[in-house]
Every structure is written in C-alpha cells, then in structure tokens.
Amino acid sequence: MTNRAGILVAVGATVAGLMTAAPSPASADSGAPRAASLKWTDCGTEAHPTLQCASVRSPLDHDDPSGRQVTLALSRIPHTAKTFQGPLLVNPGGPGGSGLSMAGFVAASLPEAVAAQYDVIGFDPRGVGRSRPALDCVSKYFDPVRPDPVPRSVRDEQTNRERARGFAAACGEKYPDLLPYMDTPSAAKDLDVIRRATGSRQLNYFGYSYGTYLGAVYAKLFPERVRRLVLDSNVNPDGVWYDDNLDQDYAFDTRHKAFAAWVAKHDAAYGLGGDPSKVEAAWYRMRDAVREHPAGGKVGPGELDDTFLPGGYYNGYWPTLAGAFAAYVNDKDVKPLVAAYERFGAVDAAGDNGYTVYTAVQCRDARWPRDWEAWRGDSWWAHAKAPFMTWGNTWYNAPCADWPVEPLNPVRVSNRAVPPALLFQATDDAATPYEGGVTLHRELVNSSLVVEEGGGNHGVTLSGNACLDRYLADYLAEGTVPRGQHGDVDAVCAKTPDPEPAAATSARPAPRPDANGRGNTLHRLLGFRR
C-alpha cells in the first residue's frame, strides 16, 4: 500500500494537461443506416419521463443464427442534441444484474449537454429480468434462516455442500437446453445484435463491475465496432473466476476492518468503543449470538453476513449498518438489525433470478476445481486470515464444483486494436480489487487508467466524485483521455469523503440512508455482487 500510494502521488503531479483525443464526436454514426427493427414505445416514469422501451431477438446459439431465439429487453433515453454520437449501452454488472433502470440513471447523472448526444440504452442480458426466458433454478434459495456458512463440523460442511450441489442439479434439470449458452461470449454477441438493431456501425459502451469484463470481451470479439469504452471497477481478466473470488475474500475482510475503524472513530455516536479491533470483536460476538438465537427469527449468521456485505461495496451504507450494530449490542434491540437485513440482505424473486444467472455464467465461463478438497483447503487458508466473508463466498460459488455443463476457456481480452478506453478504479475496492484495474489497463494497450486514491467503494463514477466525473464527461463528449508519464496510472483523484454518522435524535442514532442520493441510487442499481 505504501509503495502504491507513493506511485499515485507521483503520477498525479504529472497528468495535468496531458490528454489524448479519440476520433471526433461526429464520426460515430454520420451516414449510418437507421434500422427499423427496434420499435420504441413510451415507458416513461416520473423520474425519467422520456424513457422508452423495446425488445430485440437474438440467437440462443450464435453459431446457429436461424435457430432458437431469446428476447432481450431494452430501455432508452433518446438523444436530443444535433450532434449525435450513437448508442451508449450501459451495464450494471452481475452477471445477472438488470440494466433497464441504468439508462435513466446514467442519462440524468451525466452533464446534460453530454447525455443529449447519445441514445443511452439499458438492457437486461440474456436470462435476466424482463428478457425471455428469465431463469430461476431454485426459488427462495436464500430464505432465512440458512445454515451457518462457516462450518464448525464435518456435518456443517456437508449440509452446505449438499445444498450447493442440489442447486447445480436443479439448474441442470430445469434448463438443460439453456445452460450451454449462458456465458459472457454469448452475452457479448448479444451486444452486437443490439448494435445492429440500432443501425449503428459502432457501439459506445459503459460498464460497471462484471460489466467491465463483458465490455472487454466485446472489444476482443469486435474491436472495429467499438467507439468509446468506459469500464468502472474492473474485473481482473487473469483470475476469471475462481482466483478472482479468492482475491475478494481478502479484500472484503480489509474493507470490513475499515468499517470497524470508522465505527470506532465515531464512538461518540455509536458507543461501541474507540479501538477498531474491539469493535470488530464485538461484531463477531454478535455473529455468534445470532447463530444461537437468530435476530427476529430471521437473521442468523449467514443473513448477518449478507446484511453487512453491502458495506464493503459502498460506505454510504455504514451509518445504517453501524446504527443497527449498536442497537443490537448496546440496547439488545433487534429491530434495526432486522430492518437492515430486509433492506440489504434479503433476496426477492429478482434476486433469485440474478443468482441463477450469476451462477450459470460464472460456472460456464471458466473451469472451477472439481475436487472439493481444493475448495476446502483454499477456503480454510483464506478464512484464517480473512474470516469476514470467505466461507460465505465459497458457498455462493460452490455450485460450480458440480455444474452440469462443461466450462469454456476464458476469453483472453488482450487488445491492441480497440480505440482508447477509459478505466476507473478505486485503490481499496473489495469486489474488484485494485490489481484487476491495473491488469486490464495493461491488456487494453491504448487505455487510460484513472484512480480514486484511498477510495473503497465499488462503482466510483456518477457517485458524487466531481474529479472522476469530469474525466468521464470529457471522454464521452470529446473522446479525450488522460495520459500519465509514469507507471500504470494516468490520472489520480482524491477519494470521496467517508460518510458522517446519522444525526442522533435520541441516545442512540437511528439508521438512515446517507445524504448522497446519487451514490445511493447507483449502488442500488449495481447490487451487491460483481
């Protein structure tokens, strides 16, 4: 961390005024044929009255384009400026995340003059949400109270093992014809179907989280069709997917410690002590307590982990989580903890669908260990150093050990042909650790990397950091990217400040959302997995 921070400071001093321009805005679609295949209809909301909806059919198997089709649901905020830069497809990650709401959010969050130059298009990837068919292998798979993810005996481990194996078997029985085509390359080819349906020669793309990998795969398959490429919070393409999940275990534990340190810093508000290690110990005592007596009959240890995991994605949730934590420990009041679980941890039907697609894509994209001993050994090794979410993450991905479809070889995304891409990465991101951003930057030879130094949130643009958003707006408006002269980093922005505790209206602060409405909105759209 010390060496990395020093490099960032040095690079930050060199980037002022060093910019490279991509092709001019008007070059995108002038003269491009306008397809009639998309029939946009009004589906405006109070927040986004100009929102439109459509659908497009795409081959289930792209090697058999005349065969069975899937239907992809789309949303759009249409351009209004005379200068038209083409479609800007936006994706929130996952895999399994619904992107229909992203169009309105991105269009409203960009500077008006920039958003007006694009058709901002959201979409539900194959298998997701309003796309058809939508997959759900096991409804209510995450209903409380689940077995403790951390096994305390052979029987505990076997219970969770059988549960994961049962999920994989149910998927194979329910969707034997679909699972072979639930993968990132197929989803990337769907993007090109959408591009063709818009009548555009080239595509602009803006992806968060897993959406960065989807964008990088699209760029590898269709480099000549990429015009602008924005990737925020980047998947490490060299770790897809088993190694990336192991890296997450350590990063989320570090982020949980950062939460404990923040609670300790604000001991006057939360009364949990001023020593971060003691605050963290109190959290694990709470976990032991709900294992014996689930809070409100629904928050056991697995549900508690799920409730606090979103705090590793976004520190705007810390005041709410800290208030629930303090109420439970200091006042023996379980209601705020149950409310926090229902807000952050509970899984509804959309979550069941998202988990099915997440699992289907990750298990198909790349090879996972089939020998359970490898999973057990790696999990206990990581748990010893990073206990916060290691075993929970193991069981979340464990169906891949018994997945009924043979895996593909991961796409090698290295690319010299794609135009300059703009990458954003926080140094302390837990879901997609910093090294993934550096790796992808090296793989996309012409890319530029903008770093939020000291930032720990996952998804950093359009979330309240004016410095980051300025680079984003300049790139989308003019195609300009920063070019540093040292190391892997082209530009550095200071991190968004940590939140303040909720204002105390009584002896104990009441949980509430943070004040950054845009950040809250973005992170609700991104969800709590890649």
Side-chain angles (χ1 to χ4, degrees), residues 129-318:
R130 295 185 185 177
S131 291
R132 292 292 179 267
L135 278 59
D136 181 2
C137 292
V138 180
S139 297
K140 301 182 178 182
Y141 183 70
F142 290 97
D143 274 9
V145 173
R146 307 193 311 274
D148 188 347
V150 181
R152 300 191 180 190
S153 66
V154 172
R155 177 176 292 181
D156 286 351
E157 182 179 340
Q158 192 62 29
T159 296
N160 278 303
R161 179 84 175 92
E162 290 300 325
R163 187 168 176 272
R165 185 183 285 124
F167 185 90
C171 289
E173 292 171 5
K174 197 169 184 179
Y175 302 116
D177 53 338
L178 298 177
L179 294 186
Y181 308 104
M182 294 300 299
D183 55 76
T184 300
S186 293
K189 293 173 184 177
D190 289 342
L191 297 185
D192 208 54
V193 170
I194 298 172
R195 177 197 63 79
R196 293 198 305 271
T198 67
S200 300
R201 291 197 304 261
Q202 290 184 303
L203 191 67
N204 305 287
Y205 178 86
F206 180 5
Y208 290 91
S209 193
Y210 163 78
T212 65
Y213 184 64
L214 176 60
V217 171
Y218 179 83
K220 182 67 173 184
L221 298 178
F222 308 104
E224 74 285 355
R225 298 172 192 169
V226 175
R227 181 172 176 273
R228 302 266 166 84
L229 183 63
V230 181
L231 306 177
D232 182 330
S233 303
N234 297 278
V235 166
N236 187 336
D238 290 348
V240 174
W241 288 111
Y242 184 75
D243 288 346
D244 279 351
N245 277 278
L246 289 174
D247 290 342
Q248 280 187 335
D249 296 340
Y250 297 96
F252 270 106
D253 196 80
T254 298
R255 199 70 187 133
H256 190 59
K257 286 178 169 60
F259 166 70
W262 180 86
V263 173
K265 177 182 177 181
H266 296 290
D267 180 47
Y270 299 112
L272 289 164
D275 182 340
S277 64
K278 292 182 179 179
V279 172
E280 188 179 18
W283 190 90
Y284 282 103
R285 287 196 299 273
M286 177 173 65
R287 192 182 190 282
D288 288 339
V290 299
R291 188 181 194 275
E292 297 302 321
H293 302 287
K298 62 174 63 175
V299 183
E303 291 73 28
L304 187 75
D305 295 348
D306 290 350
T307 301
F308 281 79
L309 181 65
Y313 285 81
Y314 178 48
N315 62 10
Y317 299 142
W318 286 0

Side-chain angles (χ1 to χ4, degrees), residues 228-452:
R228 302 266 166 84
L229 183 63
V230 181
L231 306 177
D232 182 330
S233 303
N234 297 278
V235 166
N236 187 336
D238 290 348
V240 174
W241 288 111
Y242 184 75
D243 288 346
D244 279 351
N245 277 278
L246 289 174
D247 290 342
Q248 280 187 335
D249 296 340
Y250 297 96
F252 270 106
D253 196 80
T254 298
R255 199 70 187 133
H256 190 59
K257 286 178 169 60
F259 166 70
W262 180 86
V263 173
K265 177 182 177 181
H266 296 290
D267 180 47
Y270 299 112
L272 289 164
D275 182 340
S277 64
K278 292 182 179 179
V279 172
E280 188 179 18
W283 190 90
Y284 282 103
R285 287 196 299 273
M286 177 173 65
R287 192 182 190 282
D288 288 339
V290 299
R291 188 181 194 275
E292 297 302 321
H293 302 287
K298 62 174 63 175
V299 183
E303 291 73 28
L304 187 75
D305 295 348
D306 290 350
T307 301
F308 281 79
L309 181 65
Y313 285 81
Y314 178 48
N315 62 10
Y317 299 142
W318 286 0
T320 299
L321 295 171
F325 179 16
Y328 183 91
V329 171
N330 295 326
D331 301 335
K332 313 302 180 188
D333 182 1
V334 303
K335 292 181 181 177
L337 190 61
V338 172
Y341 162 71
E342 291 174 345
R343 177 181 173 189
F344 297 125
V347 177
D348 58 11
D352 288 335
N353 166 239
Y355 178 64
T356 291
V357 175
Y358 170 94
T359 308
V361 172
Q362 294 226 333
C363 297
R364 174 65 169 157
D365 266 0
R367 189 166 300 280
W368 296 69
R370 289 285 180 167
D371 181 2
W372 184 249
E373 290 300 319
W375 293 72
R376 175 189 289 118
D378 288 340
S379 297
W380 280 122
W381 178 266
H383 177 84
K385 299 179 181 180
F388 170 59
M389 69 160 279
T390 292
W391 272 105
N393 203 21
T394 294
W395 298 122
Y396 198 84
N397 293 283
C400 293
D402 299 282
W403 201 243
V405 178
E406 283 298 306
L408 303 172
N409 292 318
V411 175
R412 307 307 302 173
V413 301
S414 57
N415 201 322
R416 292 181 175 272
V418 71
L422 185 59
L423 279 57
F424 293 92
Q425 189 72 40
T427 56
D428 298 328
D429 183 353
T432 52
Y434 177 79
E435 290 71 17
V438 173
T439 299
L440 186 58
H441 176 38
R442 291 171 179 167
E443 295 285 354
L444 302 180
V445 173
N446 295 316
S447 64
S448 289
L449 176 63
V450 179
V451 167
E452 185 184 30

Side-chain angles (χ1 to χ4, degrees), residues 24-30 32-34 76-90 110 114-121 194-195 198-205 225 227-228 476-477:
S24 62
S27 68
D29 285 282
S30 55
R34 306 306 299 166
R76 177 179 76 163
I77 300 290
H79 76 284
T80 56
K82 291 182 180 179
T83 299
F84 177 48
Q85 302 214 47
L88 173 64
L89 268 65
V90 293
L110 288 170
V114 176
Q117 297 177 33
Y118 289 92
D119 284 349
V120 183
I121 297 177
I194 298 172
R195 177 197 63 79
T198 67
S200 300
R201 291 197 304 261
Q202 290 184 303
L203 191 67
N204 305 287
Y205 178 86
R225 298 172 192 169
R227 181 172 176 273
R228 302 266 166 84
L476 290 177

Side-chain angles (χ1 to χ4, degrees), residues 68-83:
R68 182 177 176 183
Q69 305 285 295
V70 297
T71 301
L72 308 175
L74 311 177
S75 62
R76 177 179 76 163
I77 300 290
H79 76 284
T80 56
K82 291 182 180 179
T83 299

